[in-house]
Amino acid sequence: MFLVAFPFLHEWPFFRMFLSEFRTFNATMFAVWLLVLLGMNLLTGYSGQVSFGHAALVLASAYLTAVLSQQYGFPLWGAIGLSGAATALVGWVTIGIPAVRLRGPYLAIATFGLMLAFPQILKLNVLTQWTQGALGIRGGVVGPPGFLGGVLDGRAWMYYVAMSVAVAMTVLFVNLTRSRTGRAFVALRDSEVGAEQMGVDVPRYKALAFGVSSLYAGIGGGLFFAVQGFVSPDSLGLIDSIFFLVAIVIGGLGSVLGSIVAALFLTFQSEAISALAGFVPGTNNLRNVFYGASLIAVIVLFPKGIAGFFQRPLWPKLREWNLGSLWSSRS
Amino acid sequence: MPLLTVEELSIQFGGILALDGVGFSVDEAEIVSIIGPNGAGKTTVFNCLTRVYDPMKGSIRFMGRDLLKMRPHQVVANGVARTFQNLELFSSMSVLDNLLVGQHSKIRYSALDAFFRLPRQMREERKARSRAEDTLELMELTQVRDIPVHALSYDLKKRVEIARALVSRPKLALLDEPAGGLTHEQVDSIARIVRGIRDELGVAVLLVEHRMGLVMDISDRVCVLDFGRKIADGTPTEVRRDPAVIQTYLGAPHVDA
């Protein structure tokens, strides 16, 4: 699946001859959203815990990166790594462990509360010396290292960094989901008591899912600041948390391909809806109607998400009819 | 010394004594059945053994260890695996993956090994896969290995439940109504499977079952519960002749066998 992303690496500069430079920025944001949504999908799609607080985690990490790099002189990439690790720790210990006791709608409400509170906390006066209050923090210009200076501009460099991180972390994600740990996440989603009796320490794994999910949100948040060059308390809010959830459901829960589709959705949604509304003259103020209608259409047509649609109908049938009969004739 | 010794087990739910001083034992490679009318406390015994419930009093000793000191997820690592009456399979996962989760306590590598696919992870996964394949073959499930469990028929799901318990190589398997809802032919194959568990794998079986024919046919010993109390205990022949048992089963002198 991650191979799909691979050709982009080579082809993008080539495509740039046809496409505007803005597309490079789109692709960079795609990489950022992919990280965030992989994390979101791990938590909700794989381990079955619903969070309305993910935008707060992303925002927190973006702020931490901003403060570390702009005020304490950390190198930007170091600051992103550190913020990712810190977010993972916060998600694991201070959210994941208490959240173990909360299920379904209760967890959703608790994380919703976190999401509501966080932007205002960023504006608190006592924190202004770090957060700059409502003004937010501006980042410096990020350019490629010297030896690449002639080949790449800042935008292309940022694209390569973000995309490499996203691809690498997608590979790690696939590794994790195909391991004992990943299977335990899905098992406790499908049957908590079943998982527990098979030896899965359910509370521990629920918290771990929160931790790993937060790591992805954190790295995504750090890159978010680097890419945008700016972060303020209003950069991300409740609506983004909801969009993250919408995106992974539309893309496909519990699937890497689903997360990729989700990231595409998040990157291009407003543009696509504008284009859709543009087709029919005089409907510009009906954008949200188009948007809502297409969400409903996708959910009805693809109940398992868009990725689920592409993965499902083919495989079981192929296996049953061809391979299945091969096996039975052998045994 | 018996493999499993249960003594004076009592548990209360909202003022009702679901188990009242129940005691029994299971020897190595022995099939012991727990029977009794609905609500007699059969599944409750299982749930106490695997720590889903906390009994008020009593002791449960397995291979010299105190099961009551363990947390639920630690029970299987100590050699007691179970199935569920109402199926608690991981329905979105393939049969093979279900059997890999069944070995969760056997597979030894960390989340970090998994992230980076380190040699230790590869080695452990290979071992786990081959154990799973062996169990699939034994349970005649190889053909459905890669099919998601929700797509299987009911009797195949029942068999996956048993396979998932056995794949952890327990010393004692707790089977909760493995024949419930199955046809006559399927019950016969369950009888064969349970005997195979004892004879070929050397695993002791504690069986909760309503099908008297099956119970009387395969059990070494039978323990009869009624309203949370043990009313009889012995070989199938002894139990069938026991006046208290005959009384409980509405005076039917030969229970369905």
Side-chain angles (χ1 to χ4, degrees), chain B residues 195-246:
Chain B
R195 276 208 194 90
I197 293 172
R198 177 191 58 188
D199 300 338
E200 281 157 46
L201 303 178
V203 174
V205 177
L206 186 61
L207 183 72
V208 162
E209 188 49 70
H210 272 299
R211 301 270 189 142
M212 283 312 138
L214 178 68
V215 168
M216 296 303 171
D217 189 27
I218 64 173
S219 307
D220 296 310
R221 279 185 307 122
V222 179
C223 164
V224 191
L225 295 186
D226 190 24
F227 290 113
R229 278 211 195 92
K230 187 169 89 171
I231 57 169
D233 191 348
T235 65
T237 327
E238 286 165 9
V239 164
R240 218 180 313 190
R241 295 208 184 106
D242 191 292
V245 178
I246 294 167

Side-chain angles (χ1 to χ4, degrees), chain B:
Chain B
M1 196 183 79
L3 194 63
L4 173 78
T5 317
V6 177
E7 277 165 352
E8 288 295 311
L9 198 63
S10 299
I11 187 168
Q12 197 170 346
F13 295 118
I16 293 163
L17 266 177
L19 291 177
D20 186 3
V22 172
F24 62 92
S25 68
V26 180
D27 284 330
E28 239 165 279
E30 188 184 33
I31 299 175
V32 176
S33 291
I34 303 179
I35 61 170
N38 283 327
K42 305 182 295 288
T43 299
T44 308
V45 171
F46 275 21
N47 281 333
C48 287
L49 287 175
T50 59
R51 307 295 297 110
V52 177
Y53 295 154
D54 253 326
M56 294 186 317
K57 67 181 197 344
S59 78
I60 303 173
R61 298 197 71 79
F62 178 76
M63 292 173 76
R65 269 166 293 198
D66 185 357
L67 278 190
L68 292 178
K69 287 217 176 98
M70 288 171 195
R71 290 180 52 208
H73 73 272
Q74 295 167 327
V75 172
V76 65
N78 281 284
V80 181
R82 75 175 289 186
T83 69
F84 296 86
Q85 184 184 337
N86 298 321
L87 304 176
E88 292 287 349
L89 291 167
F90 312 123
S91 56
S92 69
M93 301 171 99
S94 70
V95 173
L96 178 69
D97 279 344
N98 268 269
L99 265 61
L100 291 175
V101 179
Q103 299 177 68
H104 188 84
S105 59
K106 280 257 172 312
I107 305 175
R108 305 219 169 272
Y109 62 81
S110 69
L112 226 54
D113 293 320
F115 245 135
F116 296 103
R117 214 169 263 267
L118 299 179
R120 185 188 175 81
Q121 190 256 12
M122 308 284 264
R123 205 168 50 234
E124 286 283 297
E125 282 288 299
R126 251 198 315 277
K127 277 199 284 184
R129 250 154 235 276
S130 93
R131 280 193 297 255
E133 300 281 359
D134 291 348
T135 308
L136 286 174
E137 201 160 318
L138 187 80
M139 297 294 294
E140 294 162 25
L141 286 167
T142 309
Q143 288 172 48
V144 293
R145 172 179 181 276
D146 294 308
I147 296 188
V149 163
H150 66 78
L152 297 180
S153 64
Y154 186 71
D155 70 305
L156 281 176
K157 282 181 186 160
K158 282 272 187 191
R159 248 195 278 166
V160 175
E161 274 269 352
I162 300 174
R164 189 182 62 174
L166 291 181
V167 77
S168 66
R169 309 265 163 102
K171 295 292 277 177
L172 172 67
L174 313 179
L175 308 182
D176 199 347
E177 296 204 20
L182 300 185
T183 66
H184 265 298
E185 297 84 68
Q186 290 163 349
V187 173
D188 289 343
S189 90
I190 291 289
R192 210 178 61 234
I193 287 167
V194 177
R195 276 208 194 90
I197 293 172
R198 177 191 58 188
D199 300 338
E200 281 157 46
L201 303 178
V203 174
V205 177
L206 186 61
L207 183 72
V208 162
E209 188 49 70
H210 272 299
R211 301 270 189 142
M212 283 312 138
L214 178 68
V215 168
M216 296 303 171
D217 189 27
I218 64 173
S219 307
D220 296 310
R221 279 185 307 122
V222 179
C223 164
V224 191
L225 295 186
D226 190 24
F227 290 113
R229 278 211 195 92
K230 187 169 89 171
I231 57 169
D233 191 348
T235 65
T237 327
E238 286 165 9
V239 164
R240 218 180 313 190
R241 295 208 184 106
D242 191 292
V245 178
I246 294 167
Q247 179 76 32
T248 303
Y249 283 91
L250 296 170
H254 288 287
V255 193
D256 167 3

Side-chain angles (χ1 to χ4, degrees), chain A residues 103-181:
Chain A
R103 245 162 245 178
Y106 303 96
L107 180 61
I109 289 170
T111 51
F112 173 79
L114 187 77
M115 186 69 243
L116 278 183
F118 192 65
Q120 290 212 325
I121 292 174
L122 286 172
K123 292 182 197 166
L124 284 180
N125 282 335
V126 282
L127 296 174
T128 315
Q129 54 162 316
W130 295 288
T131 61
Q132 321 288 327
L135 291 174
I137 306 171
R138 203 160 283 284
V141 180
V142 185
F147 67 97
L148 283 170
V151 197
L152 298 173
D153 59 2
R155 205 168 251 190
W157 167 241
M158 193 58 85
Y159 163 77
Y160 280 110
V161 171
M163 195 53 101
S164 320
V165 172
V167 169
M169 288 191 68
T170 305
V171 174
L172 298 185
F173 188 92
V174 172
N175 286 347
L176 188 72
T177 54
R178 291 186 180 165
S179 74
R180 169 181 184 265
T181 313

